[in-house]
Amino acid sequence: MAKAFPQPLRTAFRLMGKRFLPSYPFEEAYFLSYARQFREALRMPLVLLGGINRLDTVRTALAEGFEFVAMGRALLREPDLVRRWQKGDVTEGLCVHCNKCIPTIYRGTHCVLVPPDQRPGHQ
Ligand SMILES: Cc1cc2nc3c(=O)[nH]c(=O)nc-3n(C[C@H](O)[C@H](O)[C@H](O)COP(=O)(O)O)c2cc1C
């Protein structure tokens, strides 16, 4: 992530990053077990989010009473992911959860693995 920041943030991040951003292994739908407790306790529409990368996760969430799912990094990596699933290719999204999209918020949020000419909005 440090590499993705411009200087002087890069150096600051290298020196301090690990202190305030510990590393966690990726887990599909990493909030699901917590969100289920909210689903159980609340009578209001809820949106599940966090690490949704697979169609079966979306189906599980909807079957369990979540009104919607929200997908962040998966759609930055593959903006047409939902359309791909609709067309029948239901393999999981291509996002590798590297989080290198996070520092791009300062210069037009994007996935660093998507070539510039394939990013949404490219003319
Ligand atoms: C590029 C990017 C920037 C984000 N910025 C923030 C932020 O400023 N504050 C925050 O609470 N969450 C932020 N998030 C987290 C999202 O709000 C959301 O919880 C998360 O991306 C959902 O998980 P997913 O990306 O695995 O689908 C950001 C996520 C991404 C991908």
Side-chain angles (χ1 to χ4, degrees):
M1 255 181 99
K3 233 190 234 174
F5 279 110
Q7 288 291 17
L9 278 176
R10 182 181 307 170
T11 304
F13 209 86
R14 279 223 167 90
L15 296 173
M16 309 288 289
K18 283 205 170 105
R19 275 201 207 164
F20 57 89
L21 269 185
S23 129
Y24 298 99
F26 176 79
E27 200 185 311
E28 176 78 12
Y30 51 80
F31 283 147
L32 183 56
S33 60
Y34 305 104
R36 280 178 174 142
Q37 295 174 47
F38 284 93
R39 184 59 296 164
E40 183 101 1
L42 299 171
R43 297 182 71 177
M44 61 186 291
L46 288 179
V47 179
L48 178 72
L49 95 169
I52 297 172
N53 225 37
R54 298 201 315 239
L55 181 58
D56 64 323
T57 308
V58 176
R59 290 192 168 130
T60 299
L62 298 180
E64 291 190 17
F66 294 93
E67 257 67 18
F68 293 96
V69 298
M71 298 162 72
R73 292 167 299 168
L75 293 180
L76 286 174
R77 175 66 184 88
E78 228 185 323
D80 63 346
L81 177 59
V82 175
R83 195 173 308 131
R84 172 160 77 69
W85 286 344
Q86 272 180 330
K87 285 182 179 166
D89 176 357
V90 296
T91 52
E92 71 183 274
L94 298 174
C95 173
V96 296
H97 333 294
C98 65
N99 286 334
K100 288 180 182 167
C101 52
I102 306 289
T104 71
I105 60 172
Y106 302 108
R107 54 197 156 95
T109 306
H110 63 272
C111 171
V112 299
L113 301 178
V114 176
D117 63 345
Q118 289 172 31
R119 289 179 197 151
H122 176 80
Q123 304 294 322

